[in-house]
């Protein structure tokens, strides 16, 4: 028989599954309340039975006296003491699966008493239990449970007064009561439970069907459903969120040619001008002396004028042309790279829009889930256990960062300022947020989860989560 150890203190009820084979010994860690210190309970298998051993940290008490050991028997409490804190614990050995249970109808029972008085509806005697220890009653259409003494737990938490919901489990010194709305299910520890003033609840699962006739071959061939009544699970075309990479190239280098000082630019021109002046002087001097005529001197005069123009005017014309070409090239650089960045920005925005649409499609609203079920759409039960989004559900609407990796030139120190580089940095550093999208939570990645919410919205919220699960997961995999 598989057994479980229940450790009851005034703050919680803790459960530990014991090995099927009773042998050797092991330690069970135990913490009291919010204490950070951990104590150890020694459990040992002796002659096919489990025993609790005193170890100086947690000792066995018998008649308020420390004992070396205590034999664990089904449903019989053993008292332990946490030595350093003078705290008392009750330990119970119970089967993992209760085989002897009683289902009792609550019809006509406005007040249900559980305790050690012989007149209590559920009469159970055990050390620590008093008469009318637990009372279950109706008030304003709700079921309430009240404990008149300590030792009673609801869902492993001690209580004085609490509302009862279907599925809640009351534990009282080995007695377990499961509340099911119209009836309760009670175990029978050691056969010591007696029932007064209550009738058994009719369990239809135990109905005797032996009086019904078997179906004949003709009845077996009758088609009960039409083809449209059946649902066929179609293969899923998966669209999942992935990390997107965007490559942005660095802007072309700016033409940073240094401007030559004017004195260096006209230096060579002055030399040529001086030569031209001396040639002109020689021609004029020869004509004044009558050694040359104007016609003879005309080629030298034309050459002299051309040299002066070439030395003084042409450098200015060339410099002006180069400056205009530089401005034209810079304007082209600004235009082309600006258009390039705009296309990259559009690419990023397109990825963001695709991610938003994909999230909204993969995790629809509760109304959409209802329509998928009622209309038997292709998306019904589309997720399989091998899918990445198996048991992933929407827990709310909010904003989340888009999973986009942008590979671009990094910002670093430089003497040259370039506005195109600043434009790249602005594109990279701009916030990439998916707004008003489903925020998802995976039950595969988070095996243990807790929900903290207002009582007014808890039932509706949990119902929405369950609706998502039954919409996209088939019953055989959920």
């Amino acid at each position: 028989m598989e057994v479980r150890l229940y450790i009851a203190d005034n703050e919680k009820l803790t459960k530990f599954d014991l090995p099927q084979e009773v042998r050797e010994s092991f330690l069970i860690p135990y913490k009291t309340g919010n204490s950070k210190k951990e104590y150890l309970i020694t459990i040992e298998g002796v002659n096919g039975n489990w025993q609790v051993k005193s170890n100086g940290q947690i000792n066995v008490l018998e008649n308020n006296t420390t004992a070396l050991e205590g034999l664990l028997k089904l449903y019989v409490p053993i008292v332990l003491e946490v030595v350093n804190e003078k705290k008392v614990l009750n330990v119970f050995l119970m089967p993992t699966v209760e085989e002897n249970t009683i289902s009792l109808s609550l019809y006509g029972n406005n007040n249900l008493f559980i305790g050690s008085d012989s007149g209590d509806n559920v009469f159970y005697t055990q050390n620590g239990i008093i008469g009318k220890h637990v009372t279950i009653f109706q008030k304003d259409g709700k079921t309430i449970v009240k404990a008149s003494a300590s030792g009673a737990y609801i869902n492993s938490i001690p209580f004085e007064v609490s509302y009862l919901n279907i599925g809640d489990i009351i534990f009282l010194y080995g007695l377990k009561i499961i509340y099911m709305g119209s009836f309760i299910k009670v175990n029978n520890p050691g056969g010591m439970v007696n029932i007064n003033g209550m009738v058994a609840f009719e369990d239809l699962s135990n109905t005797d069907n032996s009086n019904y006739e078997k179906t004949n071959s003709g009845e077996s061939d009758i088609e009960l459903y039409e083809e449209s009544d059946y649902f066929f699970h179609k293969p899923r075309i998966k669209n999942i969120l992935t990390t997107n990479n965007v490559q942005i190239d660095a802007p072309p280098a700016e033409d940073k040619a240094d401007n030559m000082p004017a004195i260096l630019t006209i230096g060579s021109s002055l030399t040529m001008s001086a030569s031209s002046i001396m040639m002109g002087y020689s021609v004029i001097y020869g004509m004044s002396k009558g050694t040359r005529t104007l016609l003879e001197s005309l080629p030298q005069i034309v050459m002299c004028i051309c040299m002066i123009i070439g030395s003084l005017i042409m450098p200015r014309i060339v410099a002006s042309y180069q400056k205009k070409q530089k401005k034209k090239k810079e304007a082209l650089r600004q235009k082309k790279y600006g258009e390039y960045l705009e296309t990259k920005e559009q690419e990023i925005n397109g990825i963001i829009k695709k991610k938003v649409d994909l999230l909204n499609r993969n995790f629809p609203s509760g109304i959409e889930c209802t329509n998928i079920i009622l209309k038997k759409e292709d998306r019904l039960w589309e997720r399989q256990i091998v899918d990445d989004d198996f048991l992933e559900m929407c827990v709310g609407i909010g904003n989340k960062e888009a999973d986009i990796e942008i590979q671009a030139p990094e910002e670093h120190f430089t003497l040259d300022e370039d506005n195109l580089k600043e434009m790249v940095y602005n594109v990279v550093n701009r916030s990439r947020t998916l707004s008003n999208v489903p925020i998802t939570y995976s039950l595969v990645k988070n095996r243990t989860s807790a929900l903290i919410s207002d009582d007014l919205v808890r039932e509706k919220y949990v119902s929405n989560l369950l609706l998502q699960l039954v919409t996209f997961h088939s019953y055989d995999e959920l």
Side-chain angles (χ1 to χ4, degrees), residues 102 104-107 109-110 112 114 135-139 141-145 153-155 162-171 176-187 198:
I102 310 168
L104 301 171
S105 175
L106 293 178
Y107 181 75
N109 289 280
N110 294 326
L112 175 64
I114 304 165
T135 304
I136 299 176
F137 59 95
Q138 300 288 328
K139 183 177 181 181
K142 294 185 177 181
T143 304
I144 301 174
V145 59
Y153 300 81
I154 181 169
N155 300 328
S162 175
Y163 289 109
L164 269 181
N165 298 306
I166 293 177
D168 286 346
I169 301 176
I170 301 172
F171 180 90
K176 292 173 67 175
I177 302 167
I178 304 176
Y179 175 72
M180 298 301 294
S182 59
F183 70 98
I184 59 172
K185 204 172 187 68
V186 184
N187 70 337
M198 299 185 72

Side-chain angles (χ1 to χ4, degrees), residues 264-395:
L264 297 178
T265 303
I266 66 175
S268 58
S269 300
L270 289 176
T271 303
M272 187 178 296
S273 298
S275 301
S276 302
I277 292 172
M278 292 305 297
M279 181 183 294
Y281 173 78
S282 176
V283 171
I284 294 173
Y285 182 77
M287 290 177 61
S288 64
K289 292 296 184 179
T291 59
R292 291 185 180 182
T293 63
L294 177 60
L295 187 60
E296 292 174 340
S297 302
L298 185 59
Q300 287 81 6
I301 293 173
V302 173
M303 186 180 295
C304 180
I305 294 173
C306 290
M307 291 177 66
I308 292 174
I309 293 174
S311 61
L312 297 179
I313 299 177
M314 287 303 296
R316 295 300 178 188
I317 295 175
V318 171
S320 177
Y321 174 78
Q322 291 177 342
K323 187 175 182 180
K324 289 182 179 180
Q325 288 296 110
K326 181 180 178 181
K327 288 183 178 180
K328 186 178 179 180
K329 185 177 180 181
E330 177 62 19
L332 181 62
R333 188 178 79 101
Q334 294 283 339
K335 178 183 177 182
K336 291 294 184 181
Y337 196 74
E339 293 174 350
Y340 171 76
L341 285 183
E342 186 175 349
T343 60
K344 289 297 179 180
E345 187 74 21
Q346 292 175 356
E347 179 182 351
I348 295 172
N349 291 336
I351 293 173
I352 291 176
K353 184 178 183 304
K354 183 178 179 181
K355 287 180 178 290
V356 171
D357 294 342
L358 194 56
L359 278 171
N360 288 327
R361 184 187 184 282
N362 288 347
F363 302 95
S365 65
I367 296 177
E368 292 175 294
C369 288
T370 302
N371 290 332
I372 290 174
I373 295 174
L374 296 179
K375 297 178 181 180
K376 298 181 182 178
E377 296 181 6
D378 293 345
R379 300 190 60 193
L380 182 63
W381 299 348
E382 67 176 2
R383 298 181 191 172
Q384 297 180 344
I385 198 169
V386 295
D387 292 338
D388 296 332
D389 56 355
F390 185 76
L391 289 184
E392 189 170 359
M393 55 189 178
C394 171
V395 295

